[in-house]
Amino acid sequence: PLELLAWAKARGTLAELDLAALTCAVAAAGAVGRGVLLVNVEPSTLMNHTSEVIAILEGRAQGLHVVVEVTERALAADPAALLRATEALHKKGYPIAVDDVGANPQSLALLEVIRPGIVKLDMSLLRDYADPDSLHVAGAVAAYAEAVGASVIAGGIETQEDLLMARVLGAGFGQGSLWVQPGPTWPEQVAESPLRFCPPPHGAPRRATDTPFSVISRHRATRVACGDMLVPLSLAVEAAVARSHLPAILLATVQHARHVPPSTRDRFARLAQTLPVVGMLGEFVTDLRIPGAHLADLRADDPLCLEWSIVALGAQSAVALTARELQPVSGCERGYAFTTTHERHAVVAAAATLISRLGSVPQSSAPERFPA
């Protein structure tokens, strides 16, 4: 399969192959009967051909529930496009499963933004279950699943020992050759599974007009400060990201590129080499050319151009500083109404407002974070 996918990708026919495979999988599962089908879709197909994917799913047999899988490695590549695609699936009632979680912990911070109904642990966690890093990843997944009611599946279970380890790591379900070997046909007898149709976890709907300041100021009282007084608070958020044990995402609105000194540009460039997602929005920010960062230019009349915000979201941490520029304030060159919060659901909502507008990382500047 990997050779076939690579062949199709090299020839520009990956989406055609992927949609054909999805069509066959839905038809074959429907012929077997009722149940839950977890089917993997290439991230590029899901993001660029969302309507075609949904059309295929809508043709499923009655009683067949389909869960669309995306690999963890894809979450950070183009988070804005992936968020749009998953929101479209959720609106149609199709839950998301994130596969290979733990193969690389880079994308754990995005789980609460994408909100999968199923999280699938990578088999590497079973092999290294005693490693502290593996336990950190499994703990983060368990916390997410407990918070939103998602199911956890362990993949690659081949032995009874694997099964025991999967249970220790918090998996409620498993798949692997311990039960059945993969083959060209469906097994004649499919054991009844307690796994049921898993609806997408419900979060607060994201409004098109939401901004970090509007989201967080609903939960926190605002204060007034001069712009230079907020600089240490902004640096503290960056420092919290750098100290996080599991990689976090860092998002910022800077109003205009002229407000970004070389020192800030250099810090964001360094962070973009190690964090799963580093994003910046503002007027003319693409002119800053920060390697590895997701940059998005804003129009001068965009409400975000009045805001100075920095949002850090990790699997085990969440903090945001958001401020909106005011009319001249006595004693300040630039005055702001601002607020800070560590309230997780507010930080997640604020992050989603920015992720939905991020640009993709140009291939030439995107660091190679994952193995081929």
Side-chain angles (χ1 to χ4, degrees):
L2 294 179
E3 291 180 6
L4 179 60
L5 289 170
W7 185 92
K9 185 176 182 179
R11 287 156 181 78
T13 59
L14 181 59
E16 183 180 354
L17 171 64
D18 207 25
L19 292 172
L22 176 61
T23 300
C24 292
V26 171
V32 172
R34 303 170 63 87
V36 180
L37 172 69
L38 281 76
V39 60
N40 199 286
V41 177
E42 285 291 309
S44 59
T45 303
L46 181 60
M47 292 185 288
N48 300 323
H49 302 272
T50 309
S51 59
E52 291 97 321
V53 169
I54 291 176
I56 294 171
L57 301 182
E58 294 285 78
R60 72 195 186 281
Q62 186 175 8
L64 178 67
H65 300 294
V66 183
V67 180
V68 176
E69 290 187 17
V70 293
T71 178
E72 181 211 36
R73 296 182 180 91
L75 296 188
D78 192 347
L82 186 61
L83 179 59
R84 288 191 294 269
T86 56
E87 286 181 339
L89 287 170
H90 282 166
K91 286 178 182 177
K92 288 290 187 177
Y94 295 106
I96 298 295
V98 175
D99 199 7
D100 300 331
V101 172
N104 191 310
Q106 289 278 16
S107 299
L108 284 172
L110 286 169
L111 286 182
E112 287 182 82
V113 179
I114 303 300
R115 298 186 72 79
I118 294 174
V119 181
K120 299 181 71 177
L121 299 177
D122 188 75
M123 65 178 66
S124 63
L125 294 179
L126 302 183
R127 308 296 179 262
D128 302 323
Y129 79 100
D131 181 77
D133 288 338
S134 295
L135 295 177
H136 275 293
V137 171
V141 170
Y144 166 77
E146 183 178 354
V148 304
S151 299
V152 179
I153 300 176
I157 296 180
E158 301 174 359
T159 66
Q160 287 293 333
E161 185 180 9
D162 288 343
L163 180 58
L164 291 174
M165 293 177 187
R167 286 171 170 158
V168 169
L169 292 177
F173 305 94
Q175 67 181 62
S177 58
L178 176 65
W179 296 286
V180 64
Q181 292 289 338
T185 60
W186 292 87
E188 292 183 7
Q189 299 275 338
V190 179
E192 184 68 16
S193 169
L195 180 64
R196 292 292 181 263
F197 172 59
C198 183
H202 293 292
R206 182 169 58 83
R207 307 172 190 170
T209 56
D210 276 345
T211 67
F213 185 85
S214 71
V215 167
I216 294 177
S217 61
R218 292 177 201 147
H219 305 276
R220 301 283 293 176
T222 61
R223 293 160 282 172
V224 175
C226 299
D228 57 356
M229 298 175 182
L230 299 180
V231 172
L233 296 179
S234 179
L235 292 174
V237 175
E238 291 183 35
V241 168
R243 291 194 302 266
S244 179
H245 184 83
L246 292 174
I249 61 176
L250 181 67
L251 309 167
T253 61
V254 295
Q255 298 185 270
H256 195 287
R258 64 172 173 265
H259 300 318
V260 181
S263 58
T264 298
R265 180 191 180 280
D266 292 345
R267 286 198 310 277
F268 270 65
R270 288 194 299 271
L271 289 168
Q273 302 308 307
T274 57
L275 300 183
V277 176
V278 170
M280 184 179 289
L281 303 92
E283 286 189 78
F284 302 106
V285 297
T286 56
D287 292 347
L288 296 173
R289 301 185 182 279
I290 302 176
H294 298 258
L295 305 177
D297 286 331
L298 302 177
R299 292 166 52 98
D301 59 353
D302 193 306
L304 271 180
C305 287
L306 294 174
E307 294 190 15
W308 170 13
S309 300
I310 183 161
V311 179
L313 176 63
Q316 298 172 317
S317 60
V319 59
L321 160 69
T322 182
R324 178 172 290 170
E325 190 167 2
L326 302 172
Q327 296 297 322
V329 175
S330 177
C332 295
E333 181 179 349
R334 294 166 63 204
Y336 291 86
F338 81 98
T339 187
T340 61
T341 187
H342 290 79
E343 194 172 4
R344 192 167 186 86
H345 78 272
V347 176
V348 170
T353 68
L354 299 182
I355 288 174
S356 65
R357 305 179 65 173
L358 288 181
S360 59
V361 177
Q363 192 63 37
S364 59
S365 63
E368 180 63 37
R369 295 190 178 93
F370 309 119

